[in-house]
Amino acid sequence: MAHSVEMLGQECFDLKNKAIAHLHDYSFMDEIPTIDYSLLFSKDHNERAKSLEHLGKACQDFGCFYLINGVEERVVEGALKGISDYFELTNQEERSEYLKKNSMDRIRWYLRSDAGENRENLKIVTHPEYHCPSKPDSCKDAIGEYLKGMHEVELGLAKAISTTLGYEETYIEKEFKLEAGFDVATLNLYPPSLQSKGSTGLAEHTDPGFFVSLIQDVNGGLQVLSHQGNWITVNIPRNTIFVGIGDHLEILTNGKYKSHIHQVILDNNEVKRISMATLHGPSLDTFVASAPGFINDSHPPTYRGMTYKESLELNGFDEIDVQSSLIQLQMPLSL
């Protein structure tokens, strides 16, 4: 009898271990992983190593993750209020002052409501120089404080992701010249589904750059396509930042870390939703190509190299549009 109890206990132990293993097997579960930013720099060697492994699997298996303990909650909440104030305390005529003027715009306003897209947004270049409308007063300072904190997180993630790739901590920062990186934030206002002219808030796409970070006031509509081909609804927990790999990290790693496809669907949106997506990119003059360390006979180069500026303008867009050109940069398969 004691032997049977002992065997039962061992079986329970084995099942528990299998369950824990499945929780860390992202190819098995279509659930976006969570990365604790603070643990990536833990003084406990084992804890740090485990967190870096966790990050590497998230990048390779999903191309995106939730980030906690990055920017202070107070700062994130302040930025969201600043975005809300911008859309609520200014009228459309005031916002239309930032309609496209020329290809070198550093602030640009946009409104679209049709079957293919339903949103109002304001794009601002935030780095290496910060641009933002001066009104309302609460907007510029609050968003600026968040972006300053997020830039520090960007440099920290560059160190951590470099480590997961087997390189020295400064590898990505140097390859992308991040201290002069070209960052663009998009302040979005999505209508509730009853006011939209179609179910699509934003059609499926990838984003250029190193990575994109996203904060929002309420969950609703954002979906990512897993590397297994399933659409996953993004439900960002409070005080959490969504991070998605950008096209140029995919290019640099020759496809080891792939950018994520995502879209915004408005079908279930009962209220309006505000968000801010910040695209953290290399400097405009950085030439980005697949690095030699990611190329071999089994993995020939997959992408054409060019400067970040050239890639942003490849399809006739302007720098501030930060539109993907990943498909055009793919090399034809050799027979």
Side-chain angles (χ1 to χ4, degrees):
M1 184 70 169
H3 180 68
S4 298
V5 171
E6 183 179 337
M7 288 182 65
L8 181 61
Q10 182 62 44
E11 288 174 3
C12 290
F13 179 77
D14 291 341
L15 285 171
K16 181 180 178 182
N17 282 342
K18 287 179 181 178
I20 292 171
H22 280 315
L23 285 174
H24 293 283
D25 182 4
Y26 305 131
S27 62
F28 174 80
M29 293 177 63
D30 278 337
E31 183 175 335
I32 297 171
T34 298
I35 301 298
D36 187 330
Y37 181 77
S38 65
L39 296 182
L40 296 173
F41 306 97
S42 172
K43 293 180 179 179
D44 183 314
H45 175 76
N46 291 332
E47 191 171 52
R48 181 169 183 264
K50 185 177 179 180
S51 296
L52 288 168
E53 181 183 4
H54 194 32
L55 174 64
K57 284 179 67 63
C59 290
Q60 187 158 2
D61 295 348
F62 272 83
C64 61
F65 50 88
Y66 298 131
L67 187 73
I68 60 173
N69 295 322
V71 180
E72 287 182 63
E73 181 177 3
R74 170 192 63 81
V75 176
V76 174
E77 294 294 335
L80 289 170
K81 185 179 185 305
I83 299 164
S84 178
D85 286 350
Y86 174 75
F87 288 114
E88 290 184 6
L89 301 181
T90 59
N91 59 48
Q92 190 166 311
E93 183 179 353
E94 290 174 310
R95 298 196 291 276
S96 66
E97 171 191 349
Y98 298 108
L99 279 167
K100 179 176 179 176
K101 295 181 177 66
N102 59 65
S103 63
M104 296 305 294
D105 286 342
R106 288 303 182 249
I107 303 177
R108 185 177 290 176
W109 178 77
Y110 178 85
L111 174 65
R112 185 170 173 183
S113 182
D114 56 40
E117 184 174 342
N118 287 270
R119 64 170 177 160
E120 178 182 353
N121 70 47
L122 182 78
K123 290 191 175 184
I124 55 175
V125 174
T126 63
H127 196 268
E129 185 177 351
Y130 177 46
H131 301 262
C132 191
S134 57
K135 296 181 180 179
D137 295 337
S138 58
C139 178
K140 185 174 184 178
D141 291 344
I143 292 174
E145 185 179 8
Y146 165 77
L147 291 168
K148 182 179 179 180
M150 194 61 220
H151 183 66
E152 293 302 313
V153 170
E154 175 191 8
L155 297 179
L157 285 177
K159 291 181 172 67
I161 293 174
S162 293
T163 302
T164 69
L165 291 168
Y167 286 82
E168 62 180 23
E169 283 191 337
T170 57
Y171 175 68
I172 289 176
E173 183 177 344
K174 289 178 179 177
E175 288 293 314
F176 284 162
K177 302 179 186 175
L178 292 181
E179 284 297 347
F182 184 70
D183 296 354
V184 176
T186 303
L187 286 60
N188 295 301
L189 174 63
Y190 291 99
S193 56
L194 289 176
Q195 295 178 14
S196 67
K197 294 183 179 178
S199 62
T200 303
L202 187 60
E204 62 182 74
H205 64 287
T206 62
D207 289 316
F210 172 26
F211 69 83
V212 59
S213 60
L214 177 80
I215 56 174
Q216 62 182 17
D217 62 343
V218 295
N219 283 306
L222 178 60
Q223 299 178 340
V224 299
L225 187 65
S226 75
H227 292 343
Q228 287 71 45
N230 302 316
W231 283 107
I232 308 169
T233 297
V234 176
N235 291 308
I236 305 177
R238 185 177 175 82
N239 194 29
T240 300
I241 299 169
F242 174 82
V243 175
I245 298 301
D247 295 343
H248 288 76
L249 185 58
E250 176 170 340
I251 293 169
L252 180 70
T253 64
N254 199 33
K256 180 178 177 66
Y257 288 174
K258 290 181 170 58
S259 59
H260 72 297
I261 298 171
H262 53 286
Q263 63 184 4
V264 177
I265 302 298
L266 304 177
D267 287 344
N268 299 318
N269 280 21
E270 296 180 358
V271 297
K272 68 181 181 181
R273 168 178 166 257
I274 62 168
S275 70
M276 180 164 70
T278 308
L279 276 71
H280 307 269
S283 70
L284 289 170
D285 65 350
T286 297
F287 185 87
V288 182
S290 296
F294 300 100
I295 298 171
N296 54 43
D297 291 342
S298 301
H299 300 90
T302 310
Y303 309 93
R304 290 188 291 137
M306 63 176 59
T307 67
Y308 190 48
K309 177 181 175 64
E310 289 171 336
S311 70
L312 293 178
E313 298 174 339
L314 187 60
N315 292 322
F317 290 99
D318 300 328
E319 294 169 359
I320 196 170
D321 293 320
V322 282
Q323 293 294 311
S324 174
S325 57
L326 187 65
I327 294 174
Q328 289 75 21
L329 291 174
Q330 290 177 342
M331 290 176 150
L333 295 173
S334 57
L335 299 177

